[in-house]
Amino acid sequence: MSEADAGAGATPHWRVGIIGAGPGGLGLAIRLVQSGRRDFVLFEASDGVGGTWRWNTYPGAACDVPSHLYSYSFALKADWSKTYANQPEILEYFEECADRYGIRPHLRPHTRIRTATWDDMAHRWHLVDAGGGHFSCDVLVSAIGTFTTPSYPDIAGLGDFAGPSFHSARWEHEHDLAGKRVAVIGTGASAAQIIPELAKIAEQVDVYQRTPQWILPRSDKPFSDEDKQRFARSKRAAKKHRNEIYWAFENTIAFRYEDGAADGLKALALGHIDYRIKDAELKAKLTPDYPFGCKRTLICSDFYKALLRDDVELVTDGIKGVTKGGVVTVDGTGRPADVIVLATGFKATEYLEGIEVVGRGGRRLHDDWATAQVAHAYKGLTVSGYPNFFMMYGPNTNQGGNSIIIILEAQATYIMSALSAMRRHRARAVDVRREVMDAYNKELVKALDGTLWHDGCQSYFKNAAGKIATQLPQTSRWYADQTKRFKMKEYERV
Ligand code: NAP
């Protein structure tokens, strides 16, 4: 029964409920429509599709994966304006996909799912949203993303600051920053994009860096009309271009000590610093002392340039606190600020933050993960004890090198294969066998050992227990192979 079929007062029910209309959830919705399945809903907390590209509207927001690869393989876009598109163009792309594939009627915006409870008797998920609305579905997919919940720093006095202070992912556009003194806390991927743009308008930008980043230069060029026409005329040319980027990215994954790939990239990053920064003191402040690849590498050409401006200061003394009028560092120096931007990242390892998932016999997913000291799943997709529940961009599926779209498409393929297998086998509910999940995770832990992510740095890859919860230590091709077919024998029918 779909929502339309539900009688007055009945709980709306669908075959498939997807939480999150970002690139993952939207991509799965399109695959469902393409296969003729229309009995599904796309719950979305915000007012529309796009996920991270809807939330992150900060100045300079862009993707550091080339756009022809950061788009669905089945919905190539011929007229990307430049190599690395900015956020408005990426959001527009996902909006267009929602229209083109008829996803809007399935979208339920302003619906933030808070609890999902498996009903052992009825073989379905009961969902409750933040407004108290009740829904149900046979199969539940969480596609809420990894960089979803902003991480706010615990800095003394931050609440006393007199001016606006906001997180990079919740940009408050109502403040005119022209002529203002802006403090930016953090120097990750978001900050590196924000700072060059802020520098153009603010009177002064103070950049508070806790840890320097390894940064590779980015060559961003507009596509010529000729290029765009060529891609529009020939799908083959567009696919060829995409494949070339795919293989370039697939080949430059550097996460193991022994593969040596990191050495070449590290040399490139050091050359980048040398080329841009001539001042020895500034160079020392910007040169990381941890292995290349330990944290997520930034791909950005204008961050160093921005730091060379007279109206931009890199501050590396730790932050002692914030006062009404600015930021004070541990050496006692106070720097006045009108606005504070918290580019302090996300709670990436805290999967399904804000959603309570209750499985078979009343078990709680967050309790299971707390016991194991790390969020885990079979192939990042399914968890034993939680039937008919799939995650997109779940634990250990953040593939360090290639486009996340490749991973999300692989996960959509797996879920589509599961739906077909369930229909074929007349299985109402499937639950991954514990031994299958455990064996996968044992191999995962082995593969994670010996990666550069373990040593020498703090990063959002690691949770509070020091376990790597986000990263996939294999190639995207390996993962696509792993997920191309759902195998019923790996699942218990419940
Ligand atoms: P991030 O990489 O986690 O960086 C957060 C920054 O804030 C770091 O510099 C961190 O310092 C600093 N920080 C955190 N808490 C702090 C505190 N209490 N005091 C001082 N500094 C503090 O977050 P992000 O820049 O938002 O990027 C997150 C991820 O989003 C990226 O890695 C990427 O996957 C994605 N992203 C992608 C793009 C893209 O182009 N595709 C663009 C933006 C974001 P430490 O390094 O010392 O922890």
Side-chain angles (χ1 to χ4, degrees):
M1 184 169 64
S2 67
E3 182 178 28
D5 303 326
T11 301
H13 179 85
W14 297 268
R15 172 74 182 139
V16 182
I18 306 169
I19 309 174
L26 179 63
L28 176 63
I30 294 170
R31 295 285 298 274
L32 286 166
V33 166
Q34 285 175 327
S35 73
R37 292 175 167 91
R38 312 238 163 220
D39 189 5
F40 73 90
V41 64
L42 198 47
F43 299 109
E44 169 56 44
S46 77
D47 58 348
V49 303
T52 198
W53 299 106
R54 196 164 198 91
W55 289 107
N56 284 273
T57 59
Y58 58 76
C63 186
D64 58 16
V65 174
S67 308
H68 280 272
L69 192 60
Y70 198 91
S71 39
Y72 300 126
S73 60
F74 52 81
L76 302 183
K77 175 174 154 67
D79 60 349
W80 285 110
S81 62
K82 58 193 187 92
T83 321
Y84 298 93
N86 285 2
Q87 172 264 339
E89 191 177 4
I90 301 171
L91 179 59
E92 195 182 297
Y93 166 78
F94 288 116
E95 297 269 18
E96 273 171 20
C97 286
D99 288 329
R100 192 185 328 161
Y101 293 97
I103 303 305
R104 303 271 180 207
H106 300 271
L107 184 67
R108 202 172 182 113
H110 304 295
T111 308
R112 186 181 284 282
I113 299 299
R114 285 292 186 210
T115 62
T117 309
W118 174 250
D119 184 331
D120 286 313
M121 303 302 285
H123 294 93
R124 58 174 54 178
W125 285 95
H126 294 293
L127 312 172
V128 183
D129 77 357
H134 287 248
F135 316 96
S136 65
C137 56
D138 299 329
V139 174
L140 178 64
V141 179
S142 165
I144 64 170
T146 296
F147 306 107
T148 309
T149 310
S151 174
Y152 287 88
D154 184 14
I155 296 176
L158 191 54
D160 301 332
F161 183 62
S165 86
F166 47 84
H167 192 275
S168 56
R170 300 288 181 273
W171 199 267
E172 295 181 3
H173 290 275
E174 64 270 33
H175 309 297
D176 180 5
L177 303 182
K180 298 278 168 32
R181 295 161 302 179
V182 184
V184 179
I185 301 181
T187 50
S190 301
Q193 294 181 339
I194 291 168
I195 289 157
E197 294 306 309
L198 274 187
K200 290 179 196 164
I201 49 172
E203 180 190 295
Q204 169 71 28
V205 179
D206 292 331
V207 177
Y208 291 86
Q209 172 188 278
R210 191 165 65 178
T211 316
Q213 300 275 350
W214 287 110
I215 308 180
L216 294 173
R218 191 177 86 160
S219 161
D220 194 11
K221 289 191 199 115
F223 285 107
S224 64
D225 288 344
E226 201 179 84
D227 284 333
K228 292 180 201 170
Q229 282 157 13
R230 186 163 53 87
F231 295 143
R233 257 197 327 269
S234 159
K235 268 209 170 122
R236 213 163 145 207
K239 270 191 185 158
K240 184 170 173 281
H241 179 66
R242 181 186 164 91
N243 279 342
E244 281 164 6
I245 312 167
Y246 172 86
W247 285 111
F249 272 64
E250 191 80 337
N251 289 334
T252 55
I253 299 156
F255 47 61
R256 286 183 198 290
Y257 282 110
E258 69 269 21
D259 69 12
D263 300 342
L265 292 174
K266 179 179 174 179
L268 189 59
L270 285 171
H272 186 203
I273 303 177
D274 274 347
Y275 177 68
R276 289 282 172 214
I277 312 290
K278 303 298 173 201
D279 177 81
E281 197 184 326
L282 186 59
K283 192 181 281 191
K285 286 179 176 176
L286 289 169
T287 306
D289 61 358
Y290 56 85
F292 181 96
C294 185
K295 285 160 103 73
R296 184 192 189 269
T297 305
L298 308 192
I299 304 178
C300 173
S301 282
D302 42 9
F303 175 62
Y304 290 150
K305 277 194 252 175
L307 295 179
L308 296 175
R309 294 172 61 120
D310 290 341
D311 51 7
V312 176
E313 186 185 354
L314 181 72
V315 182
T316 54
D317 295 313
I319 297 171
K320 185 174 169 203
V322 169
T323 61
K324 216 172 143 196
V327 181
V328 182
T329 44
V330 285
D331 62 348
T333 308
R335 287 178 181 81
D338 303 308
V339 177
I340 299 180
V341 173
L342 305 168
T344 44
F346 301 86
K347 296 182 178 178
T349 58
E350 295 178 28
Y351 283 90
L352 295 170
E353 154 92 21
I355 304 180
E356 182 166 36
V357 180
V358 183
R360 284 169 79 181
R363 65 194 299 162
R364 283 163 200 277
L365 187 48
H366 284 117
D367 290 349
D368 284 354
W369 283 346
T371 305
Q373 294 192 317
V374 65
H376 59 274
Y378 178 53
K379 300 182 179 179
L381 276 152
T382 53
V383 188
S384 179
Y386 302 85
N388 289 7
F389 176 60
F390 298 85
M391 283 175 286
M392 302 185 80
Y393 211 174
N396 295 103
T397 61
N398 189 38
Q399 205 277 339
N402 219 314
S403 169
I404 192 60
I405 302 292
I406 308 287
I407 300 295
L408 295 173
E409 284 195 23
Q411 291 170 337
T413 296
Y414 189 83
I415 295 166
M416 295 301 293
S417 171
L419 291 172
S420 300
M422 286 170 74
R423 184 187 282 179
R424 237 181 9 258
H425 291 268
R426 293 174 203 272
R428 286 185 76 186
V430 291
D431 187 8
V432 66
R433 293 180 187 280
R434 173 156 286 278
E435 65 276 15
V436 169
M437 180 179 81
D438 288 348
Y440 178 83
N441 283 310
K442 209 171 151 193
E443 288 304 310
L444 173 73
V445 169
K446 263 199 244 166
L448 286 168
D449 282 346
T451 62
L452 297 158
W453 302 322
H454 270 298
D455 305 311
C457 77
Q458 264 312 318
S459 73
Y460 65 74
F461 303 166
K462 270 187 252 175
N463 66 12
K467 296 190 188 277
I468 295 172
T470 59
Q471 297 309 98
L472 175 71
Q474 284 94 2
T475 60
S476 66
R477 186 162 183 89
W478 178 91
Y479 189 74
D481 271 353
Q482 287 285 312
T483 46
K484 67 178 175 230
R485 202 160 56 84
F486 174 90
K487 295 180 185 149
M488 193 57 103
K489 65 175 194 263
E490 297 178 338
Y491 284 74
E492 192 189 337
R493 290 164 66 154
V494 293

